Amino acid sequence: MPNEQDLIQRLLKGEQAAYRELVQQYQGAMRAVAIAIVGSASADEVVQDSWLAVVRNLQGFAGRASLKTWLLTITANTAKSRLRKQRRDVSLEDVSGPHGTIDDARFAADGHWGRAPTLWHTDSPEALLNEQALRECLEHTLATLSELQRSVLLLRERQALELPDICNLLDISHSNVRVLLHRARLSVFATLEHFEETGEC
């Protein structure tokens, strides 16, 4: 990628404009990864520490991965290190949202819906998401999920990362990522269904 190589060369020369360009281009993705792992309260500190690590280690960047992958890996490692310091217990506990989850009886043997969702709003999904009350309700639901469920869901749905990338960033197996993502999606879906039926969170 010529533009990336050019940017790296400018960074290695210590060009301040190149650093500003790097921050402008990747700060958002790095913050999203940090939020997914440690939550919004500590995300800014993680990103700040990550940038310090980037500056310290830029000379050692070998280009085996893209610059974005390298930056996100540093961010994920910094966030995980912070969690270890906080003695966080990492588990696959089945924490569900405030409205529970969708049980297996809702699905047919082939994995598709056995009983289709009812009372779906007539507006488009985009219109639904624009409703402030629903947005706040979804944020509340995300906050109730386990940290790993929330991390996997946010990295997949908000950052559109592929499952293998999520496995690498969070140091968990592919099957665990799939389970965590499935459980998180069911909890969010239960919240959506409850909101649609009652109009309340």
Side-chain angles (χ1 to χ4, degrees):
M1 186 181 295
N3 289 340
E4 184 171 296
Q5 286 303 318
D6 177 62
L7 178 60
I8 292 168
Q9 291 306 314
R10 291 167 52 214
L11 290 167
L12 290 173
K13 291 176 185 173
E15 193 178 310
Q16 291 302 308
Y19 279 99
R20 282 194 294 275
E21 191 176 323
L22 186 72
V23 171
Q24 190 174 28
Q25 193 167 349
Y26 297 109
Q27 173 91 358
M30 291 171 67
R31 190 166 192 281
V33 168
I35 288 173
I37 296 172
V38 299
S40 57
S42 302
D44 289 338
E45 291 176 24
V46 166
V47 172
Q48 186 176 9
D49 290 346
S50 300
W51 281 121
L52 292 174
V54 167
V55 171
R56 280 195 303 268
N57 296 294
L58 187 60
Q59 294 288 340
F61 175 65
R64 287 189 291 270
S66 72
L67 189 57
K68 179 180 180 181
T69 299
W70 185 66
L71 294 171
L72 295 184
T73 300
I74 288 175
T75 305
N77 289 339
T78 303
K80 287 183 281 188
S81 177
R82 175 174 287 263
L83 284 180
R84 280 193 293 273
K85 286 178 184 172
Q86 294 171 350
R87 296 181 169 273
R88 185 188 75 137
D89 292 327
V90 176
S91 72
L92 294 175
E93 62 190 38
D94 191 10
V95 177
S96 59
H99 304 294
T101 185
I102 303 297
D103 65 33
D104 293 342
R106 294 286 298 272
F107 297 97
D110 63 0
H112 291 93
W113 287 108
R115 180 168 58 90
T118 58
L119 297 175
W120 276 103
H121 202 280
T122 55
D123 291 337
S124 68
E126 291 78 16
L128 283 173
L129 288 173
N130 285 334
E131 294 182 20
Q132 182 65 24
L134 178 56
R135 190 176 310 118
E136 290 173 2
C137 189
L138 289 173
E139 290 300 327
H140 174 69
T141 298
L142 289 174
T144 64
L145 299 178
S146 74
E147 290 178 359
L148 271 177
Q149 282 184 7
R150 184 172 58 250
S151 297
V152 170
L153 184 68
L154 293 177
L155 291 174
R156 178 66 186 141
E157 304 299 345
R158 285 194 180 163
Q159 295 302 310
L161 295 183
E162 298 297 329
L163 296 188
D165 294 330
I166 297 172
C167 294
N168 291 332
L169 289 173
L170 300 180
D171 284 334
I172 52 179
S173 70
H174 188 267
S175 60
N176 284 347
V177 166
R178 289 175 60 88
V179 169
L180 290 164
L181 181 61
H182 178 70
R183 290 176 179 171
R185 283 174 170 166
L186 290 180
S187 294
V188 170
F189 182 81
T191 293
L192 284 170
E193 194 166 62
H194 176 80
F195 187 89
E196 188 64 25
E197 289 172 355
T198 66
E200 297 177 354
C201 187

